Amino acid sequence: MKLTLVATMAGYAAAFAPARMESSSNTALRAIAGGNLNGCAPYSFMDPLGFTRNRSISEVKRIREAEVMHCRVAMMATVGYVIGESTPTIFYGTDVHHTIANNQLAELPTGLLLPLFLGINFAEAYRATKGWVEPGSGSLFTIRESYYPGDLGFDPLGLKPNDPKAFSDMQDGELNNGRLAMLAAAVMCVQEQVTGHTVLENLGFN
């Protein structure tokens, strides 16, 4: 679990770097849609059940968009588990002996939950406007042709490289760390539910 946390946090900084190199990126996705499963090591493309095989470029982009978004949420969740359970918070104050993260959301008062849910709604509305075709002007669940999955134009630290090879490596790093984070978040959730202890307590830290 310690290695999982370290690896996830290392890739977190690059999580939101935009992906605007449409020519090379879309070419790669077109190859995937045509059935080419060759990707960069170790797991830049992984589809053991064949969900993307012989799909259109639009369908592949929609699937990749879902994966990238879940990767980013999972990376934030793994960090949130540790920070929310072991640092001072608005609700718990300076007392760092919190309840497990699985139960913390339900304990928040409505006054704190409302801004949280509004923020999520605004973020999702912005993502939908940025990358998805309006339902009245095309098919449902269709990604804009000019939109690359995950490219929200949010890169405040200027992490996105200009070199296509370096950019491709960053994309692979985000996906691989995100996939690891999805597994880590699932393990943390189940582990806490079974043991009733926080992540750090399960690791031997009190």
Side-chain angles (χ1 to χ4, degrees):
M1 183 66 75
K2 293 179 183 179
L3 293 176
T4 299
L5 291 173
V6 171
T8 301
M9 291 178 184
Y12 178 68
F16 293 98
R20 191 166 293 284
M21 297 184 180
E22 264 108 26
S23 57
S24 59
S25 299
N26 280 338
T27 298
L29 284 179
R30 290 182 198 281
I32 293 171
N36 180 8
L37 303 184
N38 296 323
C40 299
Y43 306 113
S44 75
F45 183 76
M46 180 175 60
D47 184 19
L49 299 180
F51 287 119
T52 61
R53 189 183 297 275
N54 299 321
R55 293 291 189 96
S56 68
I57 180 63
S58 177
E59 292 173 312
V60 173
K61 288 171 70 174
R62 179 168 59 85
I63 294 172
R64 175 52 60 85
E65 170 80 0
E67 180 180 25
V68 170
M69 291 300 120
H70 280 83
C71 283
R72 292 173 179 175
V73 170
M75 285 190 279
M76 290 189 288
T78 53
V79 176
Y81 260 92
V82 177
I83 293 177
E85 293 175 344
S86 57
T87 61
T89 63
I90 296 175
F91 186 67
Y92 291 99
T94 57
D95 179 13
V96 296
H97 297 288
H98 308 332
T99 184
I100 61 174
N102 290 358
N103 298 334
Q104 288 185 10
L105 189 62
E107 295 177 353
L108 291 177
T110 304
L112 291 178
L113 282 175
L114 185 59
L116 172 64
F117 290 142
L118 283 176
I120 293 173
N121 286 333
F122 283 133
E124 285 298 289
Y126 175 78
R127 183 170 72 92
T129 302
K130 183 87 172 177
W132 297 75
V133 174
E134 293 82 359
S137 60
S139 302
L140 293 176
F141 312 116
T142 302
I143 297 288
R144 296 182 188 276
E145 187 175 348
S146 60
Y147 176 74
Y148 185 79
D151 181 7
L152 299 177
F154 182 76
D155 184 21
L157 299 180
L159 298 175
K160 175 189 170 184
N162 293 321
D163 178 64
K165 177 62 169 62
F167 177 72
S168 178
D169 290 342
M170 176 175 282
Q171 286 182 306
D172 290 341
E174 178 181 12
L175 283 171
N176 290 333
N177 281 284
R179 289 163 179 167
L180 178 62
M182 286 191 281
L183 293 174
V187 169
M188 290 177 182
C189 180
V190 173
Q191 181 176 264
E192 290 195 354
Q193 202 64 32
V194 172
T195 66
H197 299 296
T198 66
V199 172
L200 293 183
E201 288 174 344
N202 283 316
L203 290 174
F205 299 99
N206 296 318

